[in-house]
Structures are given as structure tokens and as C-alpha cells.
Amino acid sequence: MGLISALLLLPLAPVRGVGWVADRLIEAAEDELYSPDAVRARLAALNEALDQGEIELDHFEREEEKLLDLLERRPHVSAS
């Protein structure tokens, strides 16, 4: 990028910065929402709701299948 184009695009820098921050926030929220621990907690809550009679078995099975799919599709990240 040349000096002139850099100067012309300078007013757009805050917009690009806000977009970058928004992307990072979305990534962090998705990581937290779909983390194995979060999915397991949702499974536990689902089991408790079934045990308490708050939901029907067919609803439980549909939701359980979705959550188990999330656990299976989630890439495992190894700590280095």
C-alpha cells in the first residue's frame, strides 16, 4: 500500500478496528458457548429438566442429539 492510499484510507481505520474487535468478540462468545464444559453443563441441565418432568422425552432426545453433535464436531485443541 502506498503512502497516498494509506492517507486516503486513514479515516476508515476506526471502522476497520471496530470490525476487528467485533470479530474477536464473536469468536470468544462462540468458543465459550460451544466449549465442551458449556455443552456438558447444558446436557446436565437438560437431564435435570427431564428428571423434574419439565420437558417431555421427545424434546429431551432432540436437544440431547444436538448437544452431542456439538461435542463430536468440536475440534479438540491440545494445550501445548
Side-chain angles (χ1 to χ4, degrees), residues 4 8 14-16 18-19 27 31 37 43 49 68 72:
I4 293 179
L8 291 174
V15 174
R16 287 192 308 249
V18 168
E27 286 176 11
D31 286 346
D37 291 337
L43 277 169
L68 292 175
E72 289 176 5

Side-chain angles (χ1 to χ4, degrees), residues 4-58:
I4 293 179
S5 61
L7 289 173
L8 291 174
L9 294 175
L10 189 60
L12 297 177
V15 174
R16 287 192 308 249
V18 168
W20 181 85
V21 169
D23 288 343
R24 300 298 81 74
L25 287 173
I26 289 170
E27 286 176 11
E30 287 176 345
D31 286 346
E32 186 173 323
L33 181 63
Y34 299 120
S35 74
D37 291 337
V39 174
R40 286 187 193 101
R42 289 164 57 192
L43 277 169
L46 190 63
N47 277 309
E48 187 174 330
L50 179 66
D51 292 343
Q52 300 291 326
E54 297 171 2
I55 59 173
E56 298 291 326
L57 182 60
D58 60 331

